[in-house]
Amino acid sequence: MTNLPGIVVTGASGRMGQMLIRTIQNSDRARLVGAVERKGHDWVGRDVGEAMGGAAQGVIVTDEPLEAFAHAQAVIDFTAPAATLEFAALAAQARAVHVIGTTGMTTEDLERLKLAAHHAVIVRAGNMSLGVNLLVQLTKRVAAALDADYDIEVIEAHHNQKVDAPSGTALMLGEAAAQGRGVRLEDVSDRGRDGITGARKRGDIGFSAIRGGDIIGEHDVMFAAAGERIILRHVASDRSVFARGALKAALWGLDQHPGEYDMVDVLGL
């Protein structure tokens, strides 16, 4: 077991953090060597297994990420933009693969990630599941086949604790649709609609966000024209699909040269 690649999970107490920890613990291809939480969190200093309500795992939750990263081959990170930028610099310093599932990052944030990718492998995706990444490719192909007589709307639904909108996956799908049409998403994106907005602009790509309950993730891409609609859909019913994809990305990244990659690269789509 000690020869298996060591993985650190950041944001260990979160929904995805705990799912990632369980996925790694159940894997015969990797081992958990670190769990990171923010300073002052009540999990810091505790065995991560006991903090999760189970048996001790021999991994103590720390608020010193660099120390944890130094003993790992990869870091899996589903946290927040500010934390992810800090972790990217530290993962690059440790020469560890950095798998990023964090969403809500700005253009400036992404530029800063490019600097870290000069020194280490970064795999970043708004969604780590195989199904969603297939949906991205399908969206691009359908958008390329249909002209602007078909309005494109990306509709996404998530739990009521999600803090960013549109979701990272919705933006991936919008970007795929824009690429299929040969346009820039920032030029055609239509996000907030409230009040008297006027008629929809031909060629725009619209986004609608639903927040409620414990919805894990649902994404529709609708192509609507006079007389017909085409709807591409993905529904996630278990967060483990994201955790398994993230672990696959971490293991894949071990054999790559420093640079930026996404799940299309990992999955060979």
Side-chain angles (χ1 to χ4, degrees):
M1 287 290 290
T2 56
N3 293 326
L4 296 177
I7 311 290
V8 171
V9 173
T10 64
S13 71
R15 288 186 180 93
M16 273 305 302
Q18 294 189 52
M19 181 59 72
L20 286 162
I21 289 167
R22 293 189 187 97
T23 299
I24 295 166
Q25 289 171 336
N26 292 332
S27 172
D28 60 1
R29 301 182 62 202
R31 59 195 173 98
L32 183 72
V33 297
V36 174
E37 259 302 343
R38 65 184 182 277
K39 291 186 183 298
H41 195 282
D42 60 8
W43 279 30
V44 173
R46 299 175 61 191
D47 184 284
V48 70
E50 294 176 342
M52 290 171 58
Q57 298 293 324
V59 174
I60 304 301
V61 180
T62 181
D63 57 7
E64 296 292 342
L66 182 57
E67 181 179 324
F69 295 178
H71 300 288
Q73 283 70 57
V75 176
I76 303 181
D77 173 21
F78 285 69
T79 55
T84 290
L85 292 174
E86 176 187 349
F87 295 147
L90 298 177
Q93 187 175 334
R95 298 299 189 265
V97 174
H98 188 188
V99 176
I100 300 173
T102 302
T103 60
M105 304 191 80
T106 66
T107 301
E108 182 180 348
D109 293 337
L110 298 180
E111 287 300 317
R112 291 177 61 184
L113 287 182
K114 289 182 184 297
L115 299 176
H118 290 310
H119 307 286
V121 171
I122 290 179
V123 182
R124 185 184 68 84
N127 193 299
M128 298 284 176
S129 85
L130 171 61
V132 160
N133 283 278
L134 287 171
L135 178 60
V136 167
Q137 300 305 307
L138 289 170
T139 297
K140 186 184 300 184
R141 293 186 65 177
V142 174
L146 301 175
D147 63 22
D149 286 341
Y150 287 79
D151 297 320
I152 301 176
E153 190 79 10
V154 181
I155 305 123
E156 54 103 340
H158 285 86
H159 55 86
N160 58 18
Q161 299 300 302
K162 187 168 178 60
V163 299
D164 60 309
S167 69
T169 303
L171 293 172
M172 284 172 60
L173 294 166
E175 184 62 46
Q179 289 176 7
R181 286 217 166 144
V183 297
R184 298 193 314 163
L185 181 59
E186 53 264 39
D187 294 336
V188 297
S189 179
D190 179 8
R191 297 198 185 183
R193 301 190 189 106
D194 186 22
I196 307 301
T197 60
R200 182 184 178 118
K201 183 180 176 182
R202 178 181 167 86
D204 274 359
I205 297 173
F207 292 86
S208 301
I210 298 166
R211 296 289 177 265
D214 61 356
I215 301 169
I216 291 174
E218 300 178 3
H219 293 86
D220 292 348
V221 185
M222 180 173 65
F223 298 83
E228 67 176 353
R229 283 175 291 165
I230 301 165
I231 299 174
L232 307 177
R233 183 164 221 231
H234 180 271
V235 176
S237 57
D238 189 329
R239 283 186 178 82
S240 64
V241 299
F242 310 130
R244 291 195 301 269
L247 179 56
K248 182 180 182 72
L251 297 173
W252 177 87
L254 298 176
D255 297 323
Q256 310 308 314
H257 296 293
E260 288 187 283
Y261 303 90
D262 59 23
M263 286 302 289
V264 172
D265 299 310
V266 174
L267 299 170
L269 297 176

